[in-house]
Every structure is written in C-alpha cells, then in structure tokens.
Amino acid sequence: MDLALLRTFVTVHRAGSFTRAAALLGLSQPAVTSQIRTLERQLGRPLFLRRARGVTPTTIGDELAHRAAPHLDALVEIAETDLDEESGVRTLHLAGPPEFLSLRVLPALTPLIAQGLALRGSFSADTDEALEGLAAGHHDLAVVTARPRGELLTATPLCDEEHVLVASPRWAGRLGPGTLRRNGPVVLEQLPVVEVHESLPLVSRYWAAVFDSAPAAAGAVIAPDLRAVLECAAAGAGLAVLPRYLCEDALERGEVVALLDPPVPPLRTYFLAARTGTLALPHLARAHEWLLRAAADW
C-alpha cells in the first residue's frame, strides 16, 4: 500500500476535514479527495462519511487509522533521529506568547539542554496562528489560551494566569480607592489605556469579568508585547491589565499600583498543545512532562 496515501488518510482522520488536511499537507483539496478515493477503491470499503462540515470516519476508517497512525508516527521519529544523529542533539520547536515563553517556558526548559535538547522559540500571541503552525508541523509544542478542537491536536491545561488592573502611582493617587469602589467603570474610562492590540483584548476581558460591561475607552498606547505595556503603564501612560506574574515585581517595588482587588480576579488558562501521537517521541514527552511539573509552581 502506498505510504503517501496512508499519510493523507491519517491526516484527514485527525483533521476531520479534507480542506484542513489539504492545508496541512500542502496539497489541493481535489488531490486529497482523489487520494482518499484511490485508497477506498484499493480497500473496497468507504473510509469516511461526507458531512456538511468535514467528514466522519467509518468503522473501517477508524480501525485503519488506529493501526496505521502509530507506524507513520514512528517513521517520522526515525527521520527526525537521522537528522539529529550528526550532532547528537534533539531540537524542540516551541510556540507561544512572547512574554510567557520568555519569562516562564524557555527558562523552565533550560535544564534539559544538558540532556541533549536544543530549544527554538517562536513568538506567537495569536492562538489560532500558533495552532495552525503546530498542526502544520512547524512547532512541536505550543502554549495557547484555548483548547484546540478535533483529533489532530491534543492539549493539557498548563496553568491559570491572574489578571491585575494596574496604573502608575500618580494615576492611582488621583483616583482614590473610594471613588473606584463607587464608580469603577465610569472613573476608569477617563484614564488612557495601554494595550497589546487595538481591540483591547485584556481590558475587555477584565471589564466583562469584573464590571459585566465593555470598556468605552480607546487605546492610547498599543504595543504587541506585555513587557512594553508594563513599562508604559509604570511611566504614567495610563491603565493596563497585566498577568500578575509579569507585574508582580513592579507591584512590590511600587512602580505600578493595583487599582482594584476584586473578590474573584479574572483568570486565563494556558494549555500545552501537541500534535496527536507526537508525545510518543521521547524528547517531546520529556519536555512536555517537565513543563507540567514546572507549571505547578507558577
């Protein structure tokens, strides 16, 4: 049986869609459809049921996928091992938000370098972009803020991130805690906003969780890195919503002040995602387990 047909079949089975599989394989959708039909003719049985959105494997399709996928993954392992044999180093490609990768993930993995692991980071604050890169094989692991759908990717909760509303002491002094408690959203919307995107994703999420409303303010400073947002907020540019791990030292030093202390602080969950089956690779499994253990202290 043609291994190329099996590879296409397993990709469709994991992706749940001819269109998605075509994108991952770098093929046209008609080419994927043709390969699946060829395989079905060779086997004399249908492998997928076509639905309005995507495909569903038949019983035979499921059985073939469960038999073939581990062997195809093992061939990938052999190929990757051959590529790394000369240096004796296995390379781990990671994707995730720039701040979280820089301050949490990459430092946590550095002890594995002594065990023959090389690290390559790719900064991607956009979850969909990171998952697409992971599915296409550009990354081995991705830290994302949403659990991926379908069978192509798997994800494990990594940690929760508490969000804090902060501003410089000068702005905090002008507002006063009593004023904030009485007229929080109204007063806060008089302040400039520092954010990572024009859509104000962190501020909007905070407003929805704490005030059950949407912010009316526009961004005064937009910088696509939370470290820049923190520096601008500390310099007096306006209020910002930041993860506590990122601004904790600045809070302790008094460079920024927490404007509110809600009973239930807004949280965001990070997930550690991988392609289905790839955690059978020893270096990926080791890094995955290492990060889960490290995250227990985050």
Side-chain angles (χ1 to χ4, degrees):
M1 187 175 292
D2 190 338
L3 287 179
L5 297 183
L6 279 178
R7 176 171 176 259
T8 298
F9 161 72
V10 169
T11 304
V12 172
H13 185 273
R14 288 173 169 171
S17 160
F18 284 2
T19 302
R20 178 70 169 162
L24 295 174
L25 293 166
L27 300 173
S28 66
Q29 183 176 332
V32 170
T33 302
S34 175
Q35 289 188 23
I36 295 301
R37 285 176 176 168
T38 298
L39 188 58
E40 288 177 328
R41 284 197 300 271
Q42 290 179 3
L43 296 173
R45 305 287 290 276
L47 298 173
F48 296 104
L49 300 175
R50 280 64 169 176
R51 304 295 188 191
R53 291 185 177 181
V55 294
T56 302
T58 62
T59 302
I60 296 298
D62 264 335
E63 182 178 348
L64 178 61
H66 293 152
R67 289 185 178 184
H71 298 290
L72 289 171
D73 291 337
L75 289 174
V76 173
E77 162 83 9
I78 291 170
E80 292 185 350
T81 300
D82 289 343
L83 289 173
D84 291 331
E85 270 183 355
E86 291 184 9
S87 64
V89 173
R90 302 305 304 273
T91 302
L92 177 70
H93 296 269
L94 293 139
E99 315 83 10
F100 196 74
L101 238 60
S102 299
L103 302 179
R104 291 293 202 206
V105 175
L106 290 173
L109 289 173
T110 53
L112 296 183
I113 294 173
Q115 301 179 26
L117 186 71
L119 301 174
R120 299 292 183 269
S122 178
F123 292 157
S124 177
D126 183 271
T127 283
D128 289 339
E129 180 182 281
L131 290 175
E132 287 176 6
L134 178 64
H138 302 313
H139 320 305
D140 299 313
L141 297 173
V143 177
V144 293
T145 55
R147 190 186 293 274
R149 297 179 179 180
E151 297 185 0
L152 181 65
L153 303 175
T154 61
T156 306
L158 184 63
C159 66
D160 289 329
E161 173 185 89
E162 178 188 345
H163 284 177
V164 187
L165 180 65
V166 303
S168 67
R170 177 172 63 87
W171 280 114
R174 287 186 183 183
L175 296 175
T179 304
L180 285 176
R181 281 194 296 270
R182 290 191 301 272
N183 303 298
V186 176
V187 174
L188 289 171
E189 283 168 1
Q190 299 172 13
L191 273 67
V193 173
V194 187
E195 255 280 16
V196 294
H197 191 271
E198 296 286 357
S199 62
L200 310 184
L202 299 178
V203 171
S204 296
R205 190 179 296 114
Y206 190 96
W207 251 243
V210 176
F211 304 125
D212 194 24
S213 65
V221 178
I222 302 296
D225 190 305
L226 288 174
R227 292 163 295 191
V229 171
L230 171 60
E231 293 300 322
C232 290
L239 65 80
V241 174
L242 293 167
R244 183 171 290 279
Y245 81 85
L246 183 69
C247 64
E248 196 158 24
D249 290 343
L251 286 167
E252 291 180 0
R253 293 191 298 264
E255 296 168 355
V256 293
V257 176
L259 299 179
L260 289 175
D261 184 20
V264 181
L267 299 175
R268 179 169 63 175
T269 300
Y270 281 113
F271 297 90
L272 185 57
R275 288 186 303 283
T276 300
T278 58
L279 292 181
L281 305 178
H283 71 295
L284 294 191
R286 186 166 66 252
H288 188 272
E289 182 61 28
W290 195 276
L291 279 177
L292 292 181
R293 289 202 305 267
D297 297 325
W298 296 345

